[in-house]
Amino acid sequence: MNGKNMYCGYAAALLLFLCSGAGAQSSGFQFGSSRKTDAPVQVSAQSHTDKVSAILPLENSKNADSSFFTAGNDGFLVRWAASGQGAHYQIGTLSIPFISQHPKGNDIAVCETDGVAVNRISVLSWKDFSRLHTERFKDNISCLAYSEQGNYLLVGTAAVGGMYILNAKNGTIIRNITEIPSIITMARTGASEKTAVMYSPSGYLYYYDLKKNKVIAKFQTTASLEQPVLFGTGKLSNRFFAGVKGNTIYVIDATNGKCIAQYAATAPLIFAGRTEAEEGLYFISSMGKNFALQLIGNEALAPYLKSSPAGLQPESTKLKTFAGLKSGDSFTAAAKNSESVFLGTQHGTIYKMSDIAESENYSLAPLSEKIFDRVYDLGAEGSDFYLLTDTALYKADFASKLTQKVAPNQSQTNFIKDGESVILWSKGTKKAVQRIALTGNPEGAFAEVLFTPQNRLQNVRLAGSKLLYVQGNSTVSQYDLNTGKTSVLYTGTAVEDAILDGDAIYVAKTSMGGTDAPLVSVNLKTGETAPVKINGYVAYSLSSTGEAGSGIYGIAMRSQNAGAAVTEVFAYSPENKSVRTLLKLSDEDAGAATVLAYPVLYTNLGKNQIYACNVQNGRNTSYRRSSALPGKTAAGDRHIISLNSDGSISWYEKNNPQAVANWCFTASGEWQEF
């Protein structure tokens, strides 16, 4: 085949790919169906608590579903119904920059990342939230998409030759496309899944044969485009490619890489629907206090595929101008189906509006809202539970579902109940540590300043009549509540936590290697410091009754073969110098915590449930998580409660692994059960 015929053959194949790529999906989701489930979702109009990073409409040419997914930096995946109610479920603590739906089933693929070292693709079932498989990558993930029939997952990474084709069912790597010497930020297959089109910010469109494992065409095009999207429906299905560079939108002929139009826009967000009714490329642009929704029509672009007269290009159509974004917020994600435009913001708010053209300025109203206020800390004393919000400390009664305000709070995030008073402090800050007497009149209570730390507080613990506190990751100090005197008990580097046990304190820290240990004991009478031989390079989240002989409990991380991390909950006996492992996780979990209600040690290791370890008989039980990931736990006589990552509370009976209730504190000052 000569060069001209080869090019024509490639062009014909590409046109076949482009024209057959749309309209091949159907959805198996049944949102709001009659199927009953005990899946731990929270259904509400609550906003994300952080930036909205991705929006995925579920409607396509085979499916009229008007619901859509949003994902955020808060780790939540929310499925929104047309009614404006969202089913919330937290996948993890990491940001979710990409999501993709299986075209024929209930699987959702998500990218989870900390932006640095942790980069993984997780596939889960939306029916029961089970994680079907997880694949880890050493480089940041640059794109994620299911193939048109759902047989493959296309995963691009920020590495040269880092494009992967995965088996969608089990996550095994079918092909690592190393022959493309570029980073790929967009990948999409045709309906037959025989070929895929890929965009590289180095300035190339690649067409790849998935059956023969080779590049069949390569076209030079505009480099460094962000928000890459393939669009066009009907006879022009997938014919156009677009992206943003700075304040300019570029529209490109996907069959040859030639730029056929450019549009100036301030901070644009571009998006396109995939139903046959979609008319082209939509974009949102800033107009100062207002915004514009504009359309670049498929039919208007079509004549320019054959020829582009110098200085001429199709005009965009302004559908509407709108206002309503709250001050200081900004749009971060946008998506479209046949009837609606969905928008997400930096502060986590979701907006929805129609694409119907309007001549008058439109007032944008949020679909979501901040319904719930956070609980920042909790504690238990006998059958009483205490909950700290931004403005007050409450005493909670589960049976009556009532709360009683017992002390005011001025934005402190942590508390310690001390008899008839409460000590308030804030982790990670230099805020003064305060004490407030619990009287019958909380509105008139006076906050006494005990001391102001010189560095950021890492932890504060009550030890009899003294406060033991860690500040600046370097100093363990003691404050005497009776005399007001402060003394330094230990200085070092990378200190994580400290706890009292009899006449000694135990300090958890990061080991510097060699003979340095992650846990050391300091005899308060002699001043002698001795290493504790536990296996790990860092220890944290210590627990103890404070009485000699009860043991020291905590969490340590260590490395295993190939450098992978293992996180363990350990028990250390000061009497016989022995260490035993209570729980082990074959992963890194730097945010895990322990709370001791002797003889039971509670931990959220793994972040997906609460474990209760009986340190006397070695029996472990677990409690199922709510819609949000569990955090700190407090145990009373009959119940335990979990402070979830979104600030909600889950209640458990000690003999029941299922949550018996979930509470949120509303912005109006009442508790709401969901």
Side-chain angles (χ1 to χ4, degrees):
M1 182 182 289
N2 61 37
K4 181 177 180 180
N5 289 337
M6 182 180 293
Y7 177 83
C8 292
Y10 285 153
L14 301 185
L15 284 170
L16 179 63
F17 161 83
L18 293 165
C19 293
S20 64
Q25 301 187 71
S26 63
S27 175
F29 286 101
Q30 296 295 320
F31 187 80
S33 69
S34 60
R35 182 181 65 87
K36 292 184 179 180
T37 176
D38 61 354
V41 295
Q42 175 206 117
V43 179
S44 71
Q46 175 75 3
S47 299
H48 285 273
T49 59
D50 206 337
K51 171 185 172 181
V52 177
S53 50
I55 302 178
L56 176 67
L58 299 185
E59 185 173 66
N60 52 55
S61 62
K62 300 292 184 180
N63 168 40
D65 195 337
S66 60
S67 58
F68 64 101
F69 277 109
T70 60
N73 284 0
D74 55 5
F76 271 88
L77 188 64
V78 184
R79 179 167 175 167
W80 298 90
S83 64
Q85 293 294 297
H88 297 63
Y89 186 78
Q90 189 175 21
I91 297 173
T93 58
L94 303 177
S95 172
I96 307 173
F98 303 112
I99 54 177
S100 184
Q101 176 207 359
H102 192 289
K104 296 182 178 181
N106 289 281
D107 295 352
I108 291 288
V110 301
C111 167
E112 299 176 88
T113 181
D114 65 356
V116 184
V118 180
N119 304 285
R120 64 185 181 224
I121 299 297
S122 296
V123 175
L124 61 149
S125 168
W126 184 250
K127 285 185 176 180
D128 59 7
F129 308 100
S130 57
R131 203 177 279 253
L132 305 179
H133 58 85
T134 298
E135 318 309 323
R136 300 174 184 273
F137 297 85
K138 65 179 181 179
D139 300 296
N140 289 343
I141 293 166
S142 55
C143 67
L144 168 67
Y146 271 102
S147 59
E148 292 295 308
Q149 299 298 323
N151 291 311
Y152 309 117
L153 270 174
L154 283 62
V155 181
T157 65
V160 174
M163 183 69 202
Y164 296 88
I165 309 298
L166 275 58
N167 183 311
K169 289 184 178 180
N170 56 32
T172 58
I173 296 175
I174 297 174
R175 176 72 171 164
N176 176 201
I177 306 177
T178 57
E179 57 265 49
I180 297 181
S182 308
I183 297 170
I184 300 298
T185 56
M186 186 218 71
R188 181 125 158 234
T189 72
S192 67
E193 299 187 336
K194 293 180 180 179
T195 55
V197 60
M198 305 175 188
Y199 171 72
S200 169
S202 60
Y204 287 95
L205 279 171
Y206 293 91
Y207 286 84
Y208 191 83
D209 190 316
L210 294 172
K211 301 300 181 181
K212 297 180 180 179
N213 294 324
K214 67 177 184 178
V215 175
I216 57 175
K218 170 185 174 182
F219 301 112
Q220 188 168 5
T221 189
T222 307
S224 304
L225 292 179
E226 299 178 343
Q227 305 179 49
V229 59
L230 200 65
F231 71 98
T233 56
K235 295 180 180 179
L236 295 170
S237 177
N238 293 336
R239 185 62 192 272
F240 306 105
F241 173 72
V244 173
K245 185 192 295 187
N247 289 322
T248 302
I249 299 168
Y250 294 81
V251 179
I252 291 160
D253 184 341
T255 65
N256 56 31
K258 293 182 180 179
C259 181
I260 59 176
Q262 298 180 34
Y263 300 88
T266 302
L269 283 175
I270 64 174
F271 49 97
R274 299 190 65 180
T275 71
E276 291 298 324
E278 300 301 345
E279 299 176 355
L281 182 73
Y282 296 80
F283 67 94
I284 302 289
S285 60
S286 175
M287 301 173 61
K289 292 183 179 180
N290 295 334
F291 296 86
L293 170 64
Q294 302 192 61
L295 168 66
I296 305 170
N298 292 331
E299 296 301 327
L301 289 168
Y304 293 82
L305 292 170
K306 297 180 179 179
S307 62
S308 300
L312 296 178
Q313 68 175 26
E315 294 184 357
S316 63
T317 301
K318 183 182 290 186
L319 300 178
K320 65 179 66 179
T321 58
F322 60 92
L325 187 66
K326 292 184 179 180
S327 178
D329 205 357
S330 59
F331 293 119
T332 56
K336 174 75 172 58
N337 67 14
S338 63
E339 297 179 350
S340 302
V341 172
F342 309 115
L343 297 167
T345 75
Q346 186 71 37
H347 293 171
T349 305
I350 306 297
Y351 293 89
K352 178 183 177 181
M353 65 180 178
S354 76
D355 66 344
I356 298 173
E358 299 185 55
S359 58
E360 296 184 0
N361 198 41
Y362 177 77
S363 181
L364 192 66
L367 179 71
S368 67
E369 56 185 315
K370 184 182 177 183
I371 302 173
F372 307 127
D373 277 348
R374 294 187 64 88
V375 173
Y376 288 94
D377 200 4
L378 51 71
E381 190 176 72
S383 60
D384 296 331
F385 289 90
Y386 295 87
L387 308 169
L388 183 70
T389 71
D390 191 55
T391 58
L393 178 70
Y394 292 87
K395 183 178 178 180
D397 183 276
F398 176 72
S400 64
K401 294 181 172 53
L402 296 176
T403 57
Q404 175 190 356
K405 183 177 179 180
V406 295
N409 179 37
Q410 295 182 339
S411 301
Q412 299 273 29
T413 61
N414 303 83
F415 77 94
I416 303 169
K417 177 76 165 43
D418 180 22
E420 296 304 313
S421 67
V422 61
I423 296 167
L424 299 169
W425 64 282
S426 294
K427 183 179 177 65
T429 76
K430 296 182 182 180
K431 282 187 177 181
V433 177
Q434 302 170 315
R435 178 167 55 187
I436 299 177
L438 300 179
T439 64
N441 180 22
E443 300 301 332
F446 171 73
E448 172 195 3
V449 173
L450 299 178
F451 66 93
T452 301
Q454 296 180 340
N455 290 299
R456 297 180 186 275
L457 288 171
Q458 301 303 317
N459 211 342
V460 179
R461 298 180 185 273
L462 183 65
S465 62
K466 299 178 176 61
L467 291 177
L468 190 69
Y469 62 98
V470 178
Q471 59 177 336
N473 292 113
S474 61
T475 306
V476 180
S477 300
Q478 180 176 270
Y479 176 84
D480 192 312
L481 291 168
N482 294 327
T483 66
K485 293 183 178 180
T486 298
S487 56
V488 175
L489 305 180
Y490 175 86
T491 57
T493 57
V495 176
E496 299 283 344
D497 199 2
I499 201 163
L500 178 71
D501 184 74
D503 293 327
I505 63 168
Y506 286 81
V507 180
K509 61 190 186 67
T510 300
S511 170
M512 297 293 106
T515 59
D516 191 26
L519 184 65
V520 298
S521 65
V522 181
N523 189 303
L524 296 180
K525 292 183 177 180
T526 65
E528 178 185 3
T529 300
V532 176
K533 294 183 179 180
I534 63 170
N535 191 6
Y537 55 81
V538 61
Y540 51 97
S541 191
L542 300 179
S543 291
S544 172
T545 64
E547 299 178 2
S550 64
I552 303 297
Y553 306 89
I555 300 176
M557 278 196 292
R558 61 178 174 85
S559 297
Q560 59 180 357
N561 295 337
V566 173
T567 308
E568 296 177 334
V569 178
F570 67 86
Y572 172 72
S573 171
E575 291 184 333
N576 55 30
K577 313 295 184 186
S578 64
V579 179
R580 56 193 173 101
T581 299
L582 302 178
L583 284 171
K584 181 169 69 173
L585 175 71
S586 296
D587 200 352
E588 179 178 306
D589 190 355
T594 67
V595 172
L596 181 65
Y598 198 82
V600 179
L601 182 75
Y602 296 92
T603 179
N604 64 335
L605 182 69
K607 299 186 179 71
N608 209 43
Q609 56 190 322
I610 300 166
Y611 292 98
C613 309
N614 189 306
V615 300
Q616 290 181 328
N617 59 29
R619 294 176 182 173
N620 294 336
T621 58
S622 61
Y623 299 90
R624 190 180 180 191
R625 56 166 284 183
S626 179
S627 59
L629 296 177
K632 182 178 179 180
T633 302
D637 293 337
R638 180 183 172 189
H639 293 90
I640 66 170
I641 58 175
S642 167
L643 173 55
N644 303 320
S645 64
D646 63 349
S648 65
I649 297 294
S650 294
W651 292 84
Y652 301 85
E653 294 174 342
K654 288 188 174 181
N655 60 354
N656 185 356
Q658 302 279 0
V660 294
N662 296 289
W663 285 13
C664 286
F665 191 72
T666 67
S668 61
E670 298 176 351
W671 289 99
Q672 178 175 314
E673 187 172 325
F674 63 90

